[in-house]
Amino acid sequence: MATPEKVDVAIVGAGASASVFASVLARAGKKVVMLEQGPDWQNGDLISSEIWGRRLKTVNPAILEGKDRLGYSYNAGWGSGGAATHYFAMFPRLLPSDFNMKSAYGRGLDWPFSYDDLAPYYDRVAQDIGVSGDAKAEERWRPPGQPYPMPPIRSFRHGDVWLKGFEALGIKTARATTAINSQDYKGRPACVYDGWCNAGCPIGALANPSFTYLAEARRHGAEVRPFSTVTRVLTNDKGDRVTGIEYYDREKQRQVQEASIVILAAFVSQNPRILLNSATDKHPQGLANANGLVGRYVMAHTGATIWGMFDEPDIQNYMGVLSAMHWSYDRYGKTARPGVFGSILWHCSPAIKPNDIGGIANSRNDLFGQALVDFIKRGSRQLSRLQAFGEELPNPDNRVVLAGEKDEFGFPLARINHSYDQDAIGVWQQACDEGLQIAKAAGATESWALRAAPPTIHMVGGTAMGRSAADSVANGYGQTHEIPNLWLAGVTLFPTEGAVNPTYTMYAASLRGAEHLAANWNAIAG
Amino acid sequence: MAEIQRRALMQGAALAALSFTIDGAEVWLSPSQAQAQGAPINVLKPDEVETLEAVGDTLLPGARKAGIANFVDNQLGVAPGDCLLMARIASVRPPFVNFYRAALGAIERSCLSLHGKRFAELAPAAQYDFVDRMRQNKIEGWQGPPGPFVYFLLRHDAVDVAFGTVEGIESLGVPYMPHISPEKRW
C-alpha cells in the first residue's frame, strides 16, 4: 500500500482536544489528519440507551494496578469525539488557587500559566460551543468574566430537593454551568431533558465535539481516519525532530503518515504509552522523557456520593441531564477541612436510569433478590443523588509505564498504577460526612453514602506541563520541551486537577495552545 | 423546534432488539423474546446457561424470563468493539467470554464443594445464601475472579435485561423518551 501523502499536522486521536487543534489549524489552512483508533461515529449511531451507550467507551483497557485502580474503560472514549461523546457536559472552571498550589501551599505542582491567562479562553469556548449558566452567580467564587451565551438549564424537583439541605448548612449554591443548550444555539436545538447525555446526544443539544470543533475541522478539510491504531512517533536520525507517525489501519496493515507537526491527543494512558514505545537510540527512555517524567502524576477525582430517598410521589428523577442542576464551590478551599488538604465541589442531581454505573440499582449494590426489585420500583420516582468531587494531589508514583504484555501489533500495553493518598481519602471521608448532613437537613427519609471505597472519577495527568524542562514534559501550550514539533494535547497535560470536571479547562487550554501553534507555525514547523 | 416535534422526529421504534438466528433466518428479538422463543445459544455451554439463569434469577427475580442468558450469550458472540455488556466498561479485558467462563465455573465448583449440588439444583434459600456470601467474598476455597466482582457484573447483567430496556423502564411507570432507539441499527 502506498505511503500516505505528507501532511502538515498528524493528530493522534479525534476526541475533544484533538478537535480543537484540528479546527484551529484547518481553519489556518493546514492539512490535518486525525488518526482515531475507534470508529467515526455518526449522529445516527447515538442510540438512547445505557446499554448501547457502552459502545462509546474503550474496549482496550490498560492493565490497571494499585489500591484505587482507575475506572479506565468507564472514563475513556472510543471513536470520534472520544470521551466527550459520552461525557456529561458539566462545565465548572478551575479556580485561581488551582494554578499555583506549589507556590502558595508547597503542595502539588504549579501550572505554567495563571487563571487570568486562561480566563479569556474559557469565555471564548463558551461562545464557540454553547454554554448555559449564570456567570454572575458563579462569580461569587471566581474572577469576573463574560456572561454565558445561554441561561442555565432548567431544574427539576429531584435537584431542588437538596437546596433546603445546603441552606441549612450555610452552603451557597448556584445553578450549574453546562455545555448543554438551554435554548436553541447556533442551529442546534435546546435540550429536551430526557437524560440520555452519556449515550451520546444525537440532536446536538449537548456540545459533543462532532457538533462543535470537530464539525468545524471537517468543514475546513480535516480528515478523520478511523480504526487507525498509532503505535509510535517517528523521529529523524538526529532525534531532534519528529517526522511522522507509524500506525496500523483497519486492515491491520502498517502505515507511516509523515507530518510537519505531530500532536498526541490520545488521553491519559495512550499519550505516555506512545511516547514510551517510541524510544530510539537518541531517546532511550522514550520521546520527551529525558527527565523520566512521562507517565507520572496521573490523577482522578474521588466522589463523595450521597443518595437520598424523598417521600414525594414523583420528583421526576428520570428527567433532566446527566451533569448537574445546582452546585457549590463554597467548600472548595484547599485548607477548608481540618487535617487534610484539597478541594471539593458539591453538585446535584443527575437524571437517573435503573441500570448502569450511575443507575438506581447501583446505588444499593448490597441489595439483590426481591429487595432489589422493590428498591428499583421505589427509587424510580423518589431517589436523588448528591455528590462532591474531591481533589487528589499529583503523585509521581501514580503513573503509566509499559507492561510486559503486548498488543496485537507487538507493542507493550500501558500499565497504570494508581492509589489515593491520605489527603484524598480524608477529603472524601469528610465530604461523605457533610453530604449526609445535607441529606438529613434536606428532608430525605433515607440517605446513605457509598463508603466501600473512593471511586476514581475522571482521569488526568501523565504528561504534565510546566515552566521548565527539568520538572515537566511540555510547556504551557503543549509543545514538548525536547522536540519542538512534537506536541501534546488534552487532560494529560494537567499538573493538578482541582475538584472539577476537566473538560472545560481542557478545551480552554487546547484553544490557547492551538492558537499559539497556528500563530507561530513557521518557527515551529520548520 | 418544539419539544414534541423534535422527539417525534428522532424517535424510532420502541424496543432494544438483538440479532438472533433461528432456523437459519436472522431475526431481531429482545432478550426476553429470544428466551421465550428458544433462540439458540452459541457461545455458552448448556450448564453455563443453566447456572447463569439461576444466578440471574436469584440476583433479580425475572432476569431469566427477561433473557439474561440470551443477552449475555449474544454479546459474547460479537466483536469486543460491538459488545454491550457491563464487563466492557468495568475494565475487563476481552475476550469477555473468559470472564464469564471463569465466573460461572467458580460458582459451580464452590457449590459442588459446599453443597454437593450445582447452583441451579439448590433450594431458593440456599441459592440466596450462596449469592450473599459471594457478594461479601466469604466463600471459602473460591477459585475464580473475585466473588464481589462476579456478583457486581452478573447483577448488572440482570438489571440490564430486566430494567434497562424500553420495556423494562416503562414497566416502572416512567417514560423512556428515546431520541433514537436500537431497532433500526440492528
Side-chain angles (χ1 to χ4, degrees), chain A residues 28-75:
Chain A
K30 307 305 175 191
K31 183 168 177 55
V32 177
V33 168
M34 308 168 81
L35 287 303
E36 168 54 49
Q37 186 178 25
D40 188 9
W41 298 115
Q42 306 302 305
N43 296 338
D45 296 323
L46 305 179
I47 295 167
S48 304
S49 160
E50 294 283 353
I51 299 170
W52 282 79
R54 293 170 193 155
R55 290 187 308 164
L56 307 177
K57 302 186 177 187
T58 187
V59 291
N60 186 25
I63 295 160
L64 307 171
E65 295 184 338
K67 184 167 57 69
D68 306 291
R69 298 178 181 186
L70 293 181
Y72 182 83
S73 298
Y74 183 75
N75 286 287

Side-chain angles (χ1 to χ4, degrees), chain A residues 161-380:
Chain A
V161 291
W162 296 104
L163 295 179
K164 188 173 139 192
F166 280 122
E167 189 177 349
L169 270 72
I171 299 173
K172 295 183 178 63
T173 61
R175 299 289 293 281
T177 301
T178 62
I180 298 173
N181 291 353
S182 60
Q183 52 193 222
D184 293 1
Y185 188 76
K186 289 189 174 181
R188 293 160 34 216
C191 179
V192 294
Y193 302 104
D194 53 24
W196 292 118
C197 312
N198 58 330
C201 179
I203 65 171
L206 184 150
N208 81 42
S210 48
F211 286 95
T212 58
Y213 288 117
L214 184 55
E216 181 78 356
R218 290 188 210 259
R219 276 196 293 275
H220 288 85
E223 174 195 354
V224 175
R225 209 171 282 169
F227 298 110
S228 300
T229 302
V230 174
T231 47
R232 291 188 300 168
V233 177
L234 306 174
T235 53
N236 62 6
D237 290 342
K238 288 172 63 179
D240 61 353
R241 306 281 297 178
V242 299
T243 58
I245 53 174
E246 173 191 75
Y247 72 99
Y248 287 78
D249 65 18
R250 68 167 71 217
E251 280 80 37
K252 304 190 187 302
Q253 297 297 306
R254 180 182 180 275
Q255 302 285 353
V256 170
Q257 176 62 64
E258 293 184 309
S260 300
I261 299 278
V262 169
I263 302 171
L264 298 185
F267 213 37
V268 172
S269 164
Q270 299 307 310
N271 265 9
R273 177 186 175 226
I274 292 169
L275 290 172
L276 296 172
N277 273 332
S278 302
T280 66
D281 58 339
K282 302 292 190 303
H283 300 275
Q285 297 191 91
L287 300 184
N289 194 33
N291 56 17
L293 291 178
V294 166
R296 295 187 185 273
Y297 303 120
V298 169
M299 292 163 275
H301 288 122
T302 62
T305 306
I306 315 299
W307 291 92
M309 198 72 83
F310 290 86
D311 190 18
E312 298 181 27
D314 185 0
I315 58 173
Q316 288 194 294
N317 53 353
Y318 45 87
M319 296 287 292
V321 296
L322 265 286
S323 54
M325 290 181 222
H326 306 281
W327 69 22
S328 177
Y329 283 83
D330 256 21
R331 299 293 195 256
Y332 202 83
K334 304 291 181 193
T335 57
R337 280 152 292 281
V340 295
F341 184 92
S343 298
I344 67 168
L345 178 79
W346 280 115
H347 56 96
C348 67
S349 301
I352 307 172
K353 308 296 182 184
N355 58 327
D356 211 83
I357 295 289
I360 297 168
N362 208 37
S363 75
R364 283 291 305 271
N365 193 42
D366 58 317
L367 295 179
F368 66 95
Q370 189 58 43
L372 176 58
V373 174
D374 295 342
F375 177 77
I376 290 173
K377 287 180 176 174
R378 201 154 51 96
S380 64

Side-chain angles (χ1 to χ4, degrees), chain A residues 83-230:
Chain A
T85 298
H86 63 71
Y87 80 145
F88 299 173
M90 185 163 143
F91 258 39
R93 304 177 183 212
L94 291 173
L95 296 188
S97 60
D98 291 314
F99 291 82
N100 64 344
M101 284 169 52
K102 186 172 183 181
S103 301
Y105 300 100
R107 306 295 300 269
L109 301 168
D110 284 347
W111 288 55
F113 49 80
S114 69
Y115 177 90
D116 288 343
D117 294 323
L118 199 60
Y121 297 93
Y122 276 130
D123 289 338
R124 285 181 49 203
V125 167
Q127 299 295 326
D128 283 352
I129 70 174
V131 169
S132 300
D134 182 346
K136 279 291 167 207
E138 203 177 280
E139 288 165 8
R140 175 184 295 131
W141 300 297
R142 58 138 170 115
Q146 297 296 313
Y148 291 118
M150 290 174 279
I153 57 170
R154 64 161 290 192
S155 71
F156 289 84
R157 179 64 185 153
H158 66 102
D160 296 342
V161 291
W162 296 104
L163 295 179
K164 188 173 139 192
F166 280 122
E167 189 177 349
L169 270 72
I171 299 173
K172 295 183 178 63
T173 61
R175 299 289 293 281
T177 301
T178 62
I180 298 173
N181 291 353
S182 60
Q183 52 193 222
D184 293 1
Y185 188 76
K186 289 189 174 181
R188 293 160 34 216
C191 179
V192 294
Y193 302 104
D194 53 24
W196 292 118
C197 312
N198 58 330
C201 179
I203 65 171
L206 184 150
N208 81 42
S210 48
F211 286 95
T212 58
Y213 288 117
L214 184 55
E216 181 78 356
R218 290 188 210 259
R219 276 196 293 275
H220 288 85
E223 174 195 354
V224 175
R225 209 171 282 169
F227 298 110
S228 300
T229 302
V230 174

Side-chain angles (χ1 to χ4, degrees), chain B residues 27 31 46 63 66-67 72 77 90 103 109-110 112 123-124 128 134 139 185:
Chain B
V27 294
V72 171
R109 283 191 299 275
S110 293
L112 288 169
Y128 186 95
M134 179 173 76
I139 296 181
R185 299 294 306 162

Side-chain angles (χ1 to χ4, degrees), chain A residues 48 52 54 190 194 364 381, chain B residues 6 155 160 173 176 179 186:
Chain A
S48 304
W52 282 79
R54 293 170 193 155
D194 53 24
R364 283 291 305 271
R381 287 181 182 273
Chain B
R6 182 163 61 252
R155 182 176 178 273
D160 275 349
Y176 191 86
H179 292 294
W186 285 14

